[in-house]
Amino acid sequence: MSFYVTTPIYYVNAAPHLGHAYTTIAADVMARHHRQRGEEVFFLTGTDEHGEPVADAAHALGIEPQELADRNAERFKALAPQLSATNDFFIRTTDPQHEAVVQEVLSRVRENGFVYMGTYEGWYCPRCADFKADNEVDEGNRCPIHHIKLTREQEDNYFFKLSAFQDRLEALYAEREDFVAPRTRYNEALSFIRSGLRDVPLTRHKLTWGVKVPWDPEHVFYVWFDALLNYYSALSYAPAPGGVAGAGGEAGAGGDLTDVFWPASYHVIAKDILRFHTVYWPALLMAAEIELPEHVFVHGYLLMEGEKMSKSLGNVLDPFAVIERFGADALRFYLLRDVQFGQDGSVSTSSFELRYESELANELGNLASRTIGMLSRYRDGAVSRGDLDPALAADFDGLAERVAAHVDRAELTLALDEIWQRVRRLNRYVEEQAPWVLAKDEARAEELDRVLRSLAEGLRSVTVLLWPYLPSSAERLLGALGAPELTLAGAELGAGTIEHVEPLDSLFPKDLQPVDSPPAQ
Ligand code: ME8
């Protein structure tokens, strides 16, 4: 079994913000979960470095696009580990290997008869790097996303015959209802297709910052076709992840991983780039005779004060400030817990702090410290062997499978909720069983043993399942339980044997400063 998940490649025209962090975190949760299932996993992220958004931003700063790209690519590259994201490769579209694949694939598209020379006339947003039809622009000819005034462009370009794929795309959507999720996004993509596809520019004449068109070096490829191909090109030169031998070479030596990981299992994106991924991308792959990805999952926007966060709108919540004060785990948890994955959701420092305190500190943190504390106090840390409480075990029955089924559909918030219900169940179990009462009565020692064992095992089970969301905290906690095993099979209640627990410092300390207070001097 192999699993290949991607994030969009981010524009290097600005620094990373919470929106980028969100998609990377979500893809990382999926990658980690699939690794727990023992699958061969490849997780790709990277940067989109060509085109007008980058060229314009560089010129505004008085530097060359390559310099801006180098500078900001480093910041995106550094973002992933700060989020505890475990991407297997970081692609940059200025990588020469990527550029060669773009030229090769798009030449094939031309040889297959899907490219012709034409004249484009219409609206163009340089921030979106997107051509817009008359009915897609706001009043005053403004971009509906960036609110900037658009210019009408006229340019001789090579065109991609998107219209030739009308029937095949409709057939794809009819045959594979899970190609795009959630359903609202599937419907949106399908209705765009049904409204009638028009051919789109494949190259730009006015621009020089891009991949050169091999059959006409006066042109560069339109940045979106260059960018989309990253998902495919990366596999041809990325080093193989640990444990996977590349088809064409040694693990780690840059073997060709295409045979192992293509087609991609999931492209995770937000709705701003839906049309490119759900219409242009499958059509382009069809034109190049490359197999289509399995799923595109379209999540919503993180909103601040009701508007999509973006650098150009200047309303950005700084993920680094949150990480610095609360750690990456808390950010990961908050974003996937508070905003239903797939829908828009408002984020704020106050709702973050509320979740941190009420759920991470008071629910999971307390459960861990109570469980370990009682085992230390009453049993010197030793966990007895024997049966688990059947009533509690019944509440955990099939949990790992349900979580897996949700993650298979990229329902990351629902999967987390399944787990969290068990965290709450365990806290109720402590209250119901009142081990402190049992501990006072020698005659009930066996009962106490069973309660403590059931608690410890329940805690271990939820912690294994929480690992993709809270990797550092989960590893610390499993370390204290003496049960570092992370596989999903091992998440079953009763699958592990905890013999002895060790004391643990508070997992989610409460005496942290608020997110938006100035750092301590
Ligand atoms: O579009 N809420 O790059 P980009 C949620 N280079 N997600 C958000 C977000 C928000 N407020 N803001 C950004 C591009 N994102 C192209 C992609 S792919 C072949 C080329 C995330 O830097 C989300 O994943 O504008 C969105 O789709 C992506 O960042 C856009 O990043």
Side-chain angles (χ1 to χ4, degrees):
M1 261 312 251
S2 72
F3 181 81
Y4 175 24
V5 61
T6 67
T7 71
I9 46 170
Y10 306 118
Y11 282 131
V12 286
N13 56 345
H17 61 67
L18 195 66
H20 303 125
Y22 182 48
T23 317
T24 300
I25 288 170
D28 186 61
V29 168
M30 294 169 78
R32 285 178 183 266
H33 169 89
H34 281 271
R35 289 193 197 108
Q36 285 188 298
R37 284 155 76 162
E39 295 170 19
E40 291 185 337
V41 171
F42 196 77
F43 167 21
L44 181 71
T45 187
T47 40
D48 188 355
E49 307 193 356
H50 291 130
E52 235 138 346
V54 178
D56 287 353
H59 293 142
L61 292 168
I63 58 176
E64 287 304 311
Q66 185 69 58
E67 196 182 331
L68 181 68
D70 289 344
R71 194 187 291 172
N72 278 339
E74 281 312 311
R75 302 171 77 174
F76 279 98
K77 217 173 189 170
L79 176 70
Q82 281 174 292
L83 302 170
S84 302
T86 53
N87 54 301
D88 294 290
F89 188 56
F90 187 94
I91 188 167
R92 299 183 54 184
T93 54
T94 51
D95 290 343
Q97 300 96 321
H98 164 78
E99 296 190 359
V101 173
V102 170
Q103 291 179 326
E104 188 259 309
V105 172
L106 295 177
S107 296
R108 192 168 353 132
V109 169
R110 177 168 173 254
E111 281 150 27
N112 287 346
F114 299 111
V115 176
Y116 64 92
M117 183 54 121
T119 304
Y120 177 80
E121 216 225 295
W123 303 108
Y124 181 78
C125 173
R127 294 263 182 82
C128 297
D130 193 9
F131 303 93
K132 312 229 176 232
D134 287 341
N135 62 0
E136 286 174 331
V137 297
D138 275 357
E139 241 185 77
N141 305 324
R142 287 178 183 277
C143 168
I145 297 168
H146 295 99
H147 312 315
I148 54 171
K149 215 168 160 47
L150 303 181
T151 46
R152 216 162 161 84
E153 299 256 338
Q154 193 183 16
E155 204 177 28
D156 290 338
N157 290 319
Y158 290 95
F159 275 68
F160 171 56
K161 256 193 216 172
L162 183 62
S163 60
F165 296 91
Q166 178 80 38
D167 294 346
R168 285 180 67 186
L169 286 172
E170 286 190 29
L172 165 73
Y173 276 72
E175 280 158 25
R176 287 172 48 184
E177 296 203 353
D178 60 357
F179 179 61
V180 178
R183 192 70 189 179
T184 45
R185 301 297 163 213
Y186 168 94
N187 290 337
E188 198 178 316
L190 183 56
S191 78
F192 178 79
I193 296 165
R194 284 193 178 142
S195 72
L197 296 176
R198 293 181 316 158
D199 297 343
V200 287
L202 176 72
T203 69
R204 306 293 315 276
H205 198 185
K206 279 191 191 149
L207 210 64
T208 51
W209 180 237
V211 178
K212 287 225 170 333
V213 173
W215 65 86
D216 188 345
E218 293 280 288
H219 289 251
V220 295
F221 285 112
Y222 171 39
V223 64
W224 268 101
F225 289 100
D226 161 6
L228 286 163
L229 279 166
N230 89 88
Y231 301 133
Y232 181 70
S233 71
L235 296 178
S236 69
Y237 67 100
V244 180
E250 290 287 292
D256 196 322
L257 297 169
T258 314
D259 289 346
V260 186
F261 291 110
W262 194 263
S265 315
Y266 265 100
H267 295 311
V268 183
I269 61 165
K271 59 187 187 179
D272 50 346
I273 51 180
L274 170 103
R275 205 197 314 149
F276 297 106
H277 285 80
T278 60
V279 183
Y280 292 23
W281 181 224
L284 176 68
L285 291 170
M286 287 171 182
E289 298 166 277
I290 298 173
E291 220 181 316
L292 304 191
E294 284 162 25
H295 309 282
V296 178
F297 188 87
V298 188
H299 66 65
Y301 288 153
L302 298 182
L303 306 170
M304 292 194 73
E305 291 150 18
E307 272 223 76
K308 181 196 171 201
M309 261 186 338
S310 84
K311 191 73 190 174
S312 40
L313 294 174
N315 56 352
V316 176
L317 179 81
D318 184 1
F320 301 106
V322 176
I323 293 170
E324 196 182 313
R325 289 196 168 66
F326 294 87
D329 281 9
L331 179 69
R332 296 167 67 103
F333 176 81
Y334 169 68
L335 293 177
L336 291 169
R337 177 95 173 128
D338 214 51
V339 180
Q340 177 80 33
F341 194 57
Q343 291 170 20
D344 290 352
S346 292
V347 291
S348 65
T349 51
S350 56
S351 68
F352 169 83
E353 280 160 15
L354 195 68
R355 286 274 178 197
Y356 180 88
E357 176 141 344
S358 64
E359 296 192 332
L360 287 179
N362 289 351
E363 293 183 346
L364 181 59
N366 269 356
L367 175 67
S369 66
R370 284 166 119 184
T371 304
I372 292 176
M374 290 189 292
L375 275 161
S376 308
R377 209 169 313 129
Y378 305 137
R379 293 291 183 260
D380 251 349
V383 181
S384 66
R385 285 173 181 267
D387 293 340
L388 299 171
D389 188 323
L392 186 73
D395 288 335
F396 276 70
D397 214 24
L399 174 62
E401 284 84 12
R402 279 199 298 282
V403 169
H406 281 307
V407 179
D408 276 340
R409 294 191 292 269
E411 295 165 350
L412 303 184
T413 305
L414 295 178
L416 181 52
D417 193 53
E418 279 281 348
I419 310 166
W420 211 259
Q421 284 176 32
R422 298 330 180 278
V423 171
R424 292 185 172 158
R425 174 72 190 96
L426 290 167
N427 274 323
R428 280 202 310 276
Y429 186 71
V430 177
E431 298 302 324
E432 285 162 16
Q433 304 296 324
W436 45 90
V437 175
L438 301 178
K440 288 192 184 130
D441 186 349
E442 257 312 304
R444 302 180 79 182
E446 244 178 71
E447 223 179 305
L448 177 62
D449 275 336
R450 190 168 76 159
V451 167
L452 294 178
R453 176 168 67 239
S454 302
L455 254 182
E457 182 57 15
L459 177 61
R460 190 193 65 79
S461 170
V462 292
T463 307
V464 172
L465 294 170
L466 284 171
W467 176 73
Y469 297 86
L470 297 166
S472 312
S473 317
E475 282 169 26
R476 274 183 61 204
L477 183 47
L478 290 172
L481 298 176
E485 175 70 40
L486 283 173
T487 63
L488 206 74
E492 287 296 324
L493 205 70
T497 37
I498 305 176
E499 291 176 359
H500 198 271
V501 300
E502 297 291 336
L504 179 70
D505 285 344
S506 177
L507 280 176
F508 303 103
K510 279 204 206 165
D511 50 357
L512 294 169
Q513 293 182 37
V515 179
D516 45 11
S517 70
Q521 293 303 308

